[in-house]
Amino acid sequence: MPFEVRKVEIKSVSDASGLAELIDDGVFAADEVVAVIGKTEGNGGVNDFTRILSDQAFRGVLLDKGTRSEEQVKQIPMAWSGGCDGVITPHATVFAQVGDDKGVDTDDKRLAVGIAMSEVLLPEDIGRPAMVEKVAEGVKRAMAEAGIVDVADVHYVQTKTPLLVQDTIADAHARGQTVYTEDTLFSMDISNGTTGLGIAYALGEIDRVPEPEEIGTNHDLYSSVASCSSGVELDRAQIVVVGNAPGARSRYRVGHSEMKDAIDQDGIWEAIRVSGLELPERPHHTDLADRLVNVFLKCEADPRGTLRGRRQLSLDDSDVHHHRQLKGAVGGVTAATIGDPAVFVSVAALHQGPLGGGPVAAITRAD
């Protein structure tokens, strides 16, 4: 069955009216929604409650307008990335598997989505090979569900995983276990990075499970399609695999590339080209002709403290965390590139894309 993909603006901290309107307009039914990926307006940190508010609002609409049980709606992956620093607009991208009558006849591979939940991730798993293996197993199941056979057809893997908080750290200690770090904010980076390695291992981007001492330190190991977020609202990995599959009959395609650094607009354009959209040599956002649904990026302050040979200061700033600075900067670059501030830009890109850069995926309308 084909997939429908739509982007809706979040107009207030607990707004889900855009989702409700799409359902009311018959774009898709509430019971057809399979995943949501969005940006919320909080601080993006460990205690960012706006992720929970958006999660409750969107699940509430699906309960009110559909027939699935509360337990079934709870299983729908919703990856919320907090923090809309700079010009980023809060928004959500909704994926729905729609009726066959809404598909198109084509021999081309078209967008397909597969979802999975990993095994429970214990506090002591985070940042360690056990988490890599559990995530990899879930990615393979999601890929199979999407009907994607060739790993080269996977262009975007969005995950949401647990990070460490005081309660889970105490739980591990009570059971005689240790944790990777007791810095809860740093555990966000580590959770994301370890998940990125799990994705890379599942898709053959790396050929082995990294050694414990390589996790968080060996920057040559990374995934070019991973977009990993973490939070306090779950205890396992929610996995959404997006790729192009034969027979999917969707009206959309997805492509990916890499931003080599924080201002690499060419990486964004290349992802759009890979999705199948023809562009001039020097493209402008007006060339998109309303065919771009959204772009999804991960970014990170370059630990070398430079950008194209110029000195950078975000890692030395004691007033504003470098996560927020880079998110705002890359969000501005991305918004200017595609002409739309409703872009999915997420930080903590450890093991996701090259050092100082990050993966970028683009979903476009194929017809």
Side-chain angles (χ1 to χ4, degrees):
M1 295 174 68
F3 287 85
E4 183 65 46
V5 191
R6 294 295 179 98
K7 180 167 66 178
V8 296
E9 185 176 338
I10 298 176
K11 298 176 182 178
S12 66
V13 69
S14 57
D15 172 57
S17 61
L19 172 62
E21 289 170 5
L22 289 172
I23 295 170
D24 291 343
D25 291 344
V27 176
F28 46 72
D31 290 347
E32 293 175 328
V33 173
V34 297
V36 179
I37 298 169
K39 291 294 299 181
T40 67
E41 61 194 74
N43 60 23
V46 174
N47 64 336
D48 185 349
F49 60 86
T50 66
R51 296 188 298 245
I52 297 173
L53 292 176
S54 285
D55 195 86
Q56 292 173 340
F58 274 69
R59 293 187 197 277
V61 168
L62 297 183
L63 278 172
D64 290 343
K65 294 184 176 293
T67 63
R68 287 183 285 195
S69 69
E70 183 174 356
E71 186 58 36
Q72 289 174 317
V73 169
K74 282 182 179 179
Q75 299 305 312
I76 299 169
M78 293 192 183
W80 299 104
S81 171
C84 288
D85 303 84
V87 300
I88 299 173
T89 297
H91 70 281
T93 303
V94 183
F95 297 81
Q97 191 168 16
V98 296
D100 195 58
D101 60 312
K102 294 184 178 179
V104 293
D105 293 323
T106 176
D107 294 329
D108 294 338
K109 295 178 181 179
R110 291 292 176 89
L111 184 139
V113 179
I115 60 177
M117 298 285 281
S118 76
E119 294 181 40
V120 171
L121 293 166
L122 301 171
E124 59 266 29
D125 292 338
I126 295 173
R128 291 173 174 156
M131 185 175 187
V132 174
E133 295 181 282
K134 288 181 179 181
V135 169
E137 189 276 332
V139 170
K140 291 177 181 178
R141 282 191 286 111
M143 182 176 163
E145 182 184 284
I148 300 172
V149 177
D150 188 347
V151 293
D153 288 327
V154 176
H155 293 278
Y156 177 41
V157 182
Q158 179 66 53
T159 62
K160 193 63 182 281
T161 53
L163 44 73
L164 292 168
V165 294
Q166 294 302 316
D167 285 348
T168 55
I169 293 170
D171 171 67
H173 290 332
R175 292 182 289 103
Q177 301 293 326
T178 63
V179 293
Y180 186 101
T181 179
E182 296 193 13
D183 182 334
T184 56
L185 182 57
F186 180 55
S187 77
M188 178 184 296
D189 298 70
I190 292 301
S191 180
N192 291 356
T194 313
T195 304
L197 291 172
I199 295 166
Y201 180 54
L203 300 179
E205 295 176 285
I206 59 175
D207 60 5
R208 58 183 173 82
V209 176
E211 298 297 325
E213 63 272 15
E214 292 182 295
I215 297 175
T217 59
N218 186 348
H219 299 291
D220 291 331
L221 304 178
Y222 66 83
S223 171
S224 294
V225 299
S227 176
C228 307
S229 293
S230 51
V232 300
E233 61 268 31
L234 70 175
D235 64 358
R236 60 190 72 205
Q238 290 183 340
I239 301 164
V240 181
V241 168
V242 184
N244 299 312
R249 302 186 69 244
S250 301
R251 298 178 183 273
Y252 304 88
R253 285 181 52 85
V254 59
H256 82 277
S257 186
E258 296 176 357
M259 290 183 74
K260 303 304 182 186
D261 57 37
I263 57 174
D264 180 20
Q265 292 178 301
D266 290 340
I268 300 171
W269 286 121
E270 181 60 19
I272 296 171
R273 284 192 174 95
V274 172
S275 76
L277 206 61
E278 293 186 10
L279 296 168
E281 182 178 353
R282 292 177 60 86
H284 185 263
H285 64 81
T286 54
D287 297 315
L288 296 172
D290 200 34
R291 290 178 63 187
L292 177 66
V293 178
N294 206 1
V295 289
F296 306 83
L297 301 91
K298 291 294 292 188
C299 61
E300 187 72 83
D302 195 319
R304 295 166 294 195
T306 60
L307 177 58
R308 302 195 183 184
R310 300 290 194 183
R311 187 166 68 102
Q312 297 287 284
L313 303 178
S314 64
L315 290 170
D316 293 328
D317 195 327
S318 299
D319 297 315
V320 181
H321 195 275
H322 61 86
H323 279 179
R324 307 201 71 169
Q325 295 196 36
L326 263 292
K327 192 189 308 173
V330 175
V333 169
T334 307
T337 301
I338 70 166
D340 182 359
V343 291
F344 186 91
V345 176
S346 175
V347 287
L350 182 65
H351 296 308
Q352 299 153 77
L355 195 64
V360 52
I363 295 176
T364 58
R365 294 180 178 85
D367 55 338

